[in-house]
Amino acid sequence: MLSETFAFGDSAIHRLDPRLRVVFAGLLSILTAILNRFPAVIFAVFLALVLIGASRLPVRQVLARLAVVNGLVLFIWLILPWTFEGTPVVEIGPLVGSWEGIRLCALITLKSNAIILALIALVATMPVATLGYALHHLHLPDKLVYLLLMTYRYIFVIETEYQQLARAARIRCFKPGTNLHTYKTYAYMVGMLFVRASARAQRVHQAMVCRGFSGKFYCLHEFAFKSSDWAWSSAMGISLIVLGGLEWAPIV
Amino acid sequence: MGADRLVIDLENISFAYPDGRDVLSGLSFKLDKGARAGLIGPNGSGKTTLLHMIMGLIPPSEGAIRLFGREMRSEKDFHESRKNIGLVFQNPDDQLFSPTVLEDVAFGPLNLGASPEEARDIAVKTLKDLHLTGFEDRISYRLSGGEKKLVALATVLAMNPAVLVMDEPTTGLDEKTNDRIVSILNTLDKTLLIVSHEYNFLARTTDDFYGIRDGQIFYAGESATLHTHYHAHAAGEVPHKHI
């Protein structure tokens, strides 16, 4: 369900302080999302590609993940150019494609790919648990951090329970079809999953209480900011400034 | 035996499920310091309910719970007593909620006020004592059923409780893990209360055993007399004594 294929490695990016990676990924994504000029957006894509290169992830698998995002982007290309008001450039029957629509589509495509690539390089390269502790050290509220960590822990248990239910149905010759029986069966399964998840949440809480839990979480993990982290953070800072400059510097 | 030797003292406990079904009715039970007791009873007879009551997870509808000679009245009382009574849940997936083994074992000591370094040391040592060295950074959900059970036991032992309470510790375990748990329990100098359906397991880990029936607990004899029957036997279905 969650394979964390990219989480373990020994590249320069994998060795970076997770806090730095999370902060930079956040800033870069936000900045990229509000860009409007092509040189800036292209620079953002370039930055993302540099990060992917430095993380030494298998290209094929990264492309496979990009395909998912670009599947959605494809729908934007199918709709937006024909519905966006502006200077007409193409005409197919009653459909008129506008220059502004095409420009917007291109921007969205580049931006979303840049953000996803940056997140893959910076955030997918750490285990979910590490991400949780990094967020904890960045002073995200405890409740949110532990919500993330426990979701991660129990998503596998819930998946196993779903598999059990699905198997139980299959061994009694259940074949999904387009009929009320199928809908009902799936509704029961989902309902049963909710019931089990809530019962489990209660038992987990009881087990925690038995071990002295009183609402406060403690974190075992400490991160150390190394000299290489300082070098990377300056490079990251400069690249963000360049990105901002490309977007907001007055055109001469 | 003086009252100060009593670690668990339940008096006239009653409890009914929300649907009105009585589980425990007027139950009384005493456990001395250092005792090793087993508890046997049919499914739904209230064994788990009883354990949860001792831990303060569910309040009895009637009766008094005294632990270590103190009457338990509020959640605050139980918060204190839980430092000395550890419960190992039936399903280790309920107990192990942290991403890694080390964090889970350190969770209890951290709650007891240990610093992160101390908690880490305690966790490492506890794992070593249970021959689980090397498990520290294992991901809890990727452990096998037997490993999960042993780690769950470690999470409770890391708090060094005086009393260890276990709910069906052997369910679904293979012979080898079963033997490991037996040998761990037999090296512990703790008061034990073990709920189990496995007569052989109780015979190897406890001194006395109790039965629970019709909402009451009764003394059923010495554990050494317990054994599983594989042959036809008039009393094969219920715990009994050979005279």
Side-chain angles (χ1 to χ4, degrees):
Chain A
M1 181 165 254
L2 266 178
S3 48
E4 298 184 278
T5 21
F6 298 156
F8 305 95
D10 192 33
S11 72
I13 299 270
H14 284 93
R15 285 193 299 268
L16 271 187
D17 190 311
R19 292 169 297 178
L20 174 63
R21 285 192 261 163
V22 170
V23 170
F24 184 60
L27 291 177
L28 184 61
S29 309
I30 294 171
L31 194 55
T32 306
I34 57 176
L35 293 180
N36 204 21
R37 281 191 198 163
F38 271 96
V41 173
I42 287 165
F43 183 64
V45 174
F46 168 74
L47 280 180
L49 288 174
V50 169
L51 290 170
I52 288 282
S55 67
R56 298 214 306 258
L57 293 173
V59 177
R60 194 181 283 268
Q61 286 181 39
V62 173
L63 287 177
R65 292 202 184 184
L66 274 189
V68 179
V69 185
N70 287 304
L72 287 171
V73 169
L74 190 68
F75 279 100
I76 297 177
W77 277 101
L78 286 177
I79 296 162
L80 208 53
W82 318 103
T83 52
F84 204 82
E85 297 275 322
T87 332
V89 270
V90 234
E91 271 184 60
I92 307 172
L95 291 174
V96 183
S98 72
W99 166 245
E100 284 79 359
I102 292 172
R103 185 181 179 277
L104 192 60
C105 281
L107 264 185
I108 292 174
T109 309
L110 290 172
K111 282 186 191 186
S112 47
N113 280 289
I115 292 175
I116 291 297
L117 283 173
L119 285 174
I120 289 176
L122 293 165
V123 181
T125 45
M126 66 181 92
V128 176
T130 309
L131 174 63
Y133 300 123
L135 292 171
H136 173 88
H137 283 286
L138 292 170
H139 298 287
L140 203 78
D142 271 1
K143 277 187 184 144
L144 291 180
V145 172
Y146 282 87
L147 199 61
L148 172 77
L149 289 179
M150 290 208 187
T151 306
Y152 166 69
R153 167 66 180 86
Y154 285 102
I155 203 157
F156 300 96
V157 177
I158 292 172
E159 192 204 7
T160 314
E161 288 187 344
Y162 168 72
Q163 300 290 359
Q164 279 171 2
L165 292 174
R167 266 199 300 274
R170 217 166 40 234
I171 56 161
R172 282 185 284 159
C173 302
F174 172 69
K175 261 208 187 112
T178 312
N179 51 47
L180 195 58
H181 174 62
T182 303
Y183 301 147
K184 248 185 171 169
T185 308
Y186 278 124
Y188 287 157
M189 279 188 192
V190 172
M192 192 53 87
L193 273 183
F194 278 120
V195 171
R196 288 192 187 184
S198 122
R200 180 172 305 273
Q202 202 181 350
R203 292 197 303 273
V204 171
H205 182 250
Q206 287 179 337
M208 290 170 70
V209 165
C210 281
R211 287 198 277 152
F213 177 68
S214 52
K216 169 120 187 61
F217 286 102
Y218 302 89
C219 189
L220 265 190
H221 273 254
E222 297 294 333
F223 295 114
F225 215 69
K226 303 178 292 287
S227 51
S228 58
D229 290 322
W230 284 113
W232 274 87
S233 42
S234 359
M236 286 167 169
I238 292 168
S239 59
L240 288 178
I241 294 170
V242 173
L243 195 57
L246 286 171
E247 173 70 17
W248 286 292
I251 301 168
V252 195
Chain B
M1 219 161 282
D4 53 327
R5 284 195 52 82
L6 280 180
V7 287
I8 297 175
D9 182 7
L10 307 177
E11 199 184 312
N12 214 10
I13 299 282
S14 295
F15 182 76
Y17 284 131
D19 61 8
R21 222 157 22 100
D22 277 337
V23 208
L24 308 175
S25 46
L27 174 149
S28 292
F29 177 63
K30 292 182 193 332
L31 195 68
D32 285 327
K33 185 167 183 285
R36 302 168 73 89
L39 179 59
I40 295 181
N43 293 330
S45 59
K47 301 181 299 286
T48 300
T49 306
L50 183 68
L51 297 190
H52 286 193
M53 218 167 257
I54 293 172
M55 299 307 295
L57 298 174
I58 30 180
S61 357
E62 258 177 74
I65 300 176
R66 273 183 294 273
L67 301 175
F68 306 99
R70 279 186 54 201
E71 174 121 21
M72 297 285 127
R73 291 201 181 82
S74 63
E75 169 62 23
K76 210 173 141 237
D77 295 334
F78 280 110
H79 189 71
E80 285 303 307
S81 70
R82 286 182 199 127
K83 295 174 182 171
N84 288 312
I85 304 186
L87 169 64
V88 180
F89 278 63
Q90 184 173 352
N91 185 345
D93 267 323
D94 295 340
Q95 194 131 20
L96 306 177
F97 68 91
S98 303
T100 67
V101 168
L102 185 73
E103 280 156 337
D104 224 305
V105 182
F107 175 74
L110 283 171
N111 288 332
L112 296 186
S115 71
E117 295 77 43
E118 287 164 353
R120 182 182 291 269
D121 291 346
I122 296 171
V124 169
K125 188 181 174 305
T126 311
L127 288 170
K128 184 168 165 270
D129 290 347
L130 299 191
H131 302 291
L132 294 171
T133 301
F135 275 64
E136 290 82 356
D137 293 322
R138 296 273 300 271
I139 310 289
S140 3
Y141 73 85
R142 291 202 183 119
L143 300 174
S144 75
E147 292 167 342
K148 274 185 191 163
K149 196 80 203 190
L150 289 164
V151 172
L153 181 57
T155 65
V156 173
L157 291 180
M159 300 174 74
N160 195 21
V163 184
L164 182 63
V165 180
M166 302 182 87
D167 194 357
E168 306 260 4
T170 55
T171 317
L173 296 186
D174 61 23
E175 198 91 5
K176 219 176 112 202
T177 316
N178 218 320
D179 289 347
R180 270 180 86 174
I181 291 182
V182 169
S183 67
I184 291 167
L185 293 181
N186 286 339
T187 56
L188 293 177
D189 182 25
K190 295 187 189 301
T191 310
L192 283 184
L193 176 59
I194 302 176
V195 164
S196 178
H197 286 297
E198 271 191 66
Y199 298 156
N200 290 338
F201 180 80
L202 287 183
R204 292 166 72 192
T205 52
T206 60
D207 299 325
D208 296 288
F209 75 101
Y210 296 81
I212 185 164
R213 195 190 300 142
D214 302 328
Q216 307 250 345
I217 279 194
F218 57 92
Y219 180 68
E222 287 174 19
S223 302
T225 59
L226 283 173
H227 54 267
T228 316
H229 288 271
Y230 295 108
H231 52 273
H233 196 300
E237 295 285 304
V238 288
H240 61 276
K241 255 183 163 169
H242 288 270
I243 303 160

